[in-house]
Structures are given as structure tokens and as C-alpha cells.
Amino acid sequence: MHTQTGTRRRDPGKPDPGKRDRWRRGPGPLGVVVAVGAAGALLLTGCTSDGGSSDDKSGAAREDAAGGAPARSAAPFAPGGAQDTDKGEGERDEKPSKRPGADYLSTFALDVDTASYGFARRSIEDGTLPDPETVRPEEFVNSFRQEYRQPGGDGFAVTVDGARTGGDWSLVRVGLATRSVPRDERPPAALTFVVDVSGSMAEPGRLDLVRDALESAAGGLRDEDSMAIVAFSEEAEEILPMTRLDGNRDRVRDRIEELEPTSSTNLEAGVRTGYDTAADGRRKEATNRVVLLSDALANTGETDADDILDRIEEERREHGITLFGVGVGSQYGDALMERLADKGDGHTTYVSEREEARALFTEQLPANVGLRARDAKAQVAFDRDTVRAFRLIGYDNRQVADEDFRDDRVDGGEVGPGHTVTALYAVRLKEGAEGGLAKATVRWLDPDDRKPHETSGRLDSGDLAEDLDEADTGLRTTAVAAYFADALRGRDDRWETLPATPSLGELAEQAQELADSSGDRSVDDLAETLDKAAELRERGASQPPGSGGEEGELR
């Protein structure tokens, strides 16, 4: 990652006397952060508090790191924002609120995707602000590792914590973690790599990066693991059947070296042939997965995700083969890849540098190749005695009807070993209210026997940190990431610009402070990307317009 110029950074060796006031300083850019954001200005997605009580009044399940997005002090509610459910007669907001509903519940399918953040970084590095349509806040948030407690068994550990952010607004983080598996203890893997070799993959940073990543995978997987390779352009071809790596690594590398760009992109043929190959080479006691490496710019055959997945639905359901989508390229079919992964019971990421790709295929993929949970969903119950309004940040297309939380026929998310998932809420407390604040429950199916399991964590208002600036690096980093996503969405009419929002330059300074104190390279990369984004916005660099459309209604 090249160091960017533009926004000046604070010298980490000099004291910052304004630090304590950064999240609380009233009308200033970073001070009005929580109340307006949660009251509707965050507008990254929405859930609002509406009737129904949680009977949980107990303390918090606390952790070392926290995630959240700062909100802002008292300001008019933006359209579609969190609803104020505690107005006295004659009081009203600038925008009318809906009457409270039957509950104070927020329900969503878990999501471990990170592709949106990776693609945004690549776009900014190339000198263009990303299309707001491709910005998914939860993928920005989940790109930064949280040090949640891991469970003792094969399920989840649940952390619920947060921090006060000024006025009556707070950030509440729900953190979920699965247990890691030592490399030598995981079950063997049978991976079918479906590689796009169309003409668009000839661009530097596409097929050359994929070849390098596959060679890294061949070296990093265990002897008892297996690989198959399918190449597709106008047509699809199996160039390596399912092959155990023990004694066959040279053969696998020879096939990888043969991959060359050709003509058009028949993604449907590639996915169909890939699943056929995976089903034919399926190993009963192994983790069977299709890994799609593509820019997802389909232009031949079926190009709609539902049509493509319909062709392999029977094999996917019968054999439980999941899909891992790896996006590459400066032009990238983000929406198609995301839908493919969602329909294929998998997840997506995006890589643009060899270092990232090698780490993904030598460290992350081998370690996380298994599954800990299928159809995982979370439901957060806020206490109506203490909570006046709340808003979920992100997860726009992962919402689940509250009544479907325990309906195991309703699709959830798939989560592997050693994963963390963060959901951030901006929460407005009732004046002077104390006691139980929220209870978060996660439900999932065992990947082997499909039996359902649940576990919960709780938060009491007294367990909130008194100030966001006093919170740990994890919380503050996630706040910066969430505001970065919000800023990138700001030009789309469906998400109104935040009143008194922190500038990209100020966010860059925050990120650099955090990087200096933590030594975390990923946070340093965040600071560099924010610097570059600030420079692009100052220059008036183009940002592709969003597609418009009606904003999702908040109940």
C-alpha cells in the first residue's frame, strides 16, 4: 500500500489536547456524532425501537474490544431515521415519527463479507470514489478484527457492550465469535477453484494476481487437502479434477501456470461446471467448497445471480457445498458476486494486492475453511423501559422478519471457525432511565446434524462506558470505519448527508492515531485510504451516482 499525501496527520509524538472532546464537542464536526446519527442521520440502514419489552435487566457480557459508530447530539430527525417512541402530547420532531409497533426487536442474518470495503479501497486508490450502491457499512465494520471472547465449544460467544456518546445517545455493539481451530486439527478440505479467464481478466491485478494466489494455496494447504480447478470464459472447462495435494503439488502448479485470458465471460457456465466438479469430487468427511475468483463482469449466458444459482440448486442443497467469492479488478461486479455468495450459502471478499491475496489463501482460507454454523441469525431485544429509539447500522439486505427468527426454514448466514461478526446500534436512552438495556440472542444450525442452538448476552445501562474517547481501540476504530462508509454513501439521495458529520480528513487523523497506538497495519491502511478519499473529495473527483430508489421504511 503506497503512502498517500494530502490530509496532514498529527505527529503521534505530540499531545492532542482536544482528544477528549473529539466525540462530544457539541456542534463541532466530530462532536455531534451520536444523536443525529442514530436519530436517522446515520441512514446506513434502519431498525427503530417500537413497543415490546425485554425482561432482561441484568448486566453486560463485556469484552476487550468494541465496535460502534458515533452518533450526534440533539438535532432534527432525518427522513427514515430512528423513531422517537417517547414523545409527550404536543411534542414532535421536525420529521414525524411512526407510532410504536408491537416490539423492540431487531433481527438480521449474520454476514461475514468484507468485499465492499476492499473494493472501496481499490476504487479510491485508483482515483475514484466508489458508487454508493456498493458501500455496505457492515462490511466496513467487519473488516477490522475484534478481540471477542471465543466460546469453549462449537457455537458462538456473545458480547454486548457500548459507550455513551453525549446527550442521551449511546453506541451499543453486539459481537459474536466462533472458536478457532488449529491448522492441524481441522477436517480436510476439498476445494474447487473456479477461475475467470475471460478477456477482462487480462488487466494487471486480475488473472496474474489469481495465479499467484492459487500457487500460494497449493503450497499452504495440507497434504490431505484436495484441489480442483475449473477455468471459464465463453465456455467452462475442468482443467484439474479433484486431486489430493500429497505428492501432486507440481502437477497442480503446472495447471495453474496454464491459465491465460481468452474471450467473453460466461459466469453461469463456470459456476455450473464448478459445482459439477465439486459434486463429482466430493469427499464425505471433508469440507467441500467452491471458490470463485472473478471480476464478476458476466456478459455471456445467464448473467443474473438467481438464474445462475437455480442451475446448481439441487447439487448445492444435496451436498452442502458452499461458495466463497473472491473479487478482483478495478471494474468489479459487486452486486452479482454478493448475490451469488448469498444464494450459495457463502461469503465474499475482495483483493487487489498480492500481499492480501497470499495472506487470504495461505492463512485465512486454510484456517477458516470449515463451518461452525449454518443459517445463523441474531435478534436484539431492547428494553422499552430504558430505550427510546435505536438504529442498526448496515445489514440493509440481511434483515429478517422478527417472527422468522426461530423459523429454521428462513435463510441465515454461514459462519466458519475463528470468525467475528459485529452489529452496531445507535441507541437513545430515556432520560434518567437505568437498568436492562438490551439482550442479544444468536440462533444457528449445527452444520452436521442441522439441530438448532441458541445463546445470548445482555447489557445493562450501567455497564456503558462513560465516554467513547475513553473506550478501547476496537470501538474507536469501528466508529471511524462506520463513518467512512456513511461519508461514501452521502451523495446517494437514499442516504441523506449527516448533519455536522466529521470530515474525511478528521476521520483520517483519528485512524492514524489509532494505527500509531495499536500498531495494526489494517488500521494504518484505513488511515491512508481516508487520506486519499479526502484528497479526492477536495478535488471534486467523480463518484458514480447511485441508482436512486425508495428508501427502506423504518418500522
Side-chain angles (χ1 to χ4, degrees), residues 259-393:
L259 297 171
E260 295 291 342
T262 55
S263 55
S264 55
T265 310
N266 191 338
L267 185 58
E268 181 268 337
V271 172
R272 175 168 43 81
T273 304
Y275 269 86
D276 288 345
T277 297
D280 290 344
R282 180 176 177 270
R283 294 171 57 185
K284 185 176 181 182
E285 301 303 323
T287 298
N288 297 270
R289 179 168 294 184
V290 169
V291 182
L292 174 63
L293 301 105
S294 174
D295 57 15
L297 299 176
N299 55 25
T300 301
E302 297 286 0
T303 60
D304 179 78
D306 290 331
D307 291 337
I308 294 172
L309 266 296
D310 284 346
R311 292 177 177 267
I312 52 88
E313 183 77 12
E314 182 177 346
E315 290 91 340
R316 179 173 67 88
R317 290 191 176 278
E318 180 179 353
H319 300 301
I321 299 170
T322 59
L323 177 66
F324 178 36
V326 181
V328 296
S330 58
Q331 299 296 316
Y332 167 55
D334 169 78
L336 179 57
M337 184 70 88
E338 187 200 19
R339 293 184 64 208
L340 280 169
D342 286 347
K343 292 282 285 185
D345 283 349
H347 61 283
T348 65
T349 191
Y350 178 91
V351 293
S352 60
E353 299 174 352
R354 276 182 165 78
E355 182 180 339
E356 291 177 320
R358 287 172 180 167
L360 175 67
F361 281 89
T362 61
E363 300 170 17
Q364 299 169 34
L365 180 62
N368 301 322
V369 75
L371 274 182
R372 283 288 189 228
R374 288 190 183 273
D375 290 326
K377 301 188 283 282
Q379 185 169 85
V380 183
F382 290 93
D383 193 318
R384 68 184 309 164
D385 293 332
T386 55
V387 173
R388 185 172 182 176
F390 68 89
R391 187 180 191 89
L392 173 62
I393 303 169

Side-chain angles (χ1 to χ4, degrees), residues 142-153:
N142 282 317
S143 293
F144 299 92
R145 179 76 182 179
Q146 301 292 329
E147 298 300 325
Y148 300 135
R149 174 181 58 87
Q150 292 191 3

Side-chain angles (χ1 to χ4, degrees), residues 40-54:
L42 279 174
L43 296 180
L44 304 185
T45 187
C47 282
T48 61
S49 64
D50 298 314
S53 170
S54 164

Side-chain angles (χ1 to χ4, degrees), residues 226-246:
S226 302
M227 286 179 63
I229 301 175
V230 170
F232 71 94
S233 57
E234 189 171 356
E235 296 180 345
E237 177 186 7
E238 178 188 286
I239 64 172
L240 179 73
M242 193 64 71
T243 302
R244 293 212 181 202
L245 289 172
D246 187 16

Side-chain angles (χ1 to χ4, degrees), residues 47 106-113 138 142 156 176 338 342 345-346 374-380 392 394-402 404-405 410-415 421-423 425 441-443:
C47 282
S106 169
T107 309
F108 58 94
L110 300 197
D111 188 357
V112 296
D113 292 356
E138 70 278 12
N142 282 317
F156 288 89
L176 309 171
E338 187 200 19
D342 286 347
D345 283 349
R374 288 190 183 273
D375 290 326
K377 301 188 283 282
Q379 185 169 85
V380 183
L392 173 62
Y395 295 91
D396 303 56
N397 59 2
R398 306 295 286 172
Q399 299 294 309
V400 174
D402 295 337
D404 289 338
F405 177 59
V410 175
D411 190 42
E414 277 57 50
V415 182
V421 181
T422 299
Y425 289 87
T441 303
V442 59
R443 181 181 177 89

Side-chain angles (χ1 to χ4, degrees), residues 156-240:
F156 288 89
V158 181
T159 295
V160 193
D161 58 8
R164 299 182 187 274
T165 51
D168 49 5
W169 285 97
S170 298
L171 293 175
V172 171
R173 177 195 67 164
V174 175
L176 309 171
T178 57
R179 182 172 61 90
S180 299
V181 177
R183 184 176 181 273
D184 58 353
E185 293 182 14
R186 67 165 173 81
L191 306 178
T192 301
F193 293 90
V194 180
V195 183
D196 185 347
V197 293
S198 62
S200 62
M201 292 290 287
E203 173 192 295
R206 296 194 187 191
L207 188 55
D208 58 333
L209 185 148
V210 167
R211 282 195 299 260
D212 187 77
L214 288 176
E215 290 180 2
S216 297
L221 292 169
R222 300 188 328 220
D223 287 348
E224 58 266 38
D225 295 330
S226 302
M227 286 179 63
I229 301 175
V230 170
F232 71 94
S233 57
E234 189 171 356
E235 296 180 345
E237 177 186 7
E238 178 188 286
I239 64 172
L240 179 73

Side-chain angles (χ1 to χ4, degrees), residues 401-436:
D402 295 337
E403 61 270 21
D404 289 338
F405 177 59
R406 292 185 172 88
D407 185 343
D408 296 325
R409 298 169 298 177
V410 175
D411 190 42
E414 277 57 50
V415 182
H419 276 291
T420 62
V421 181
T422 299
L424 310 176
Y425 289 87
V427 179
R428 188 177 188 184
L429 302 181
K430 294 183 178 181
E431 184 176 358
E434 296 180 357

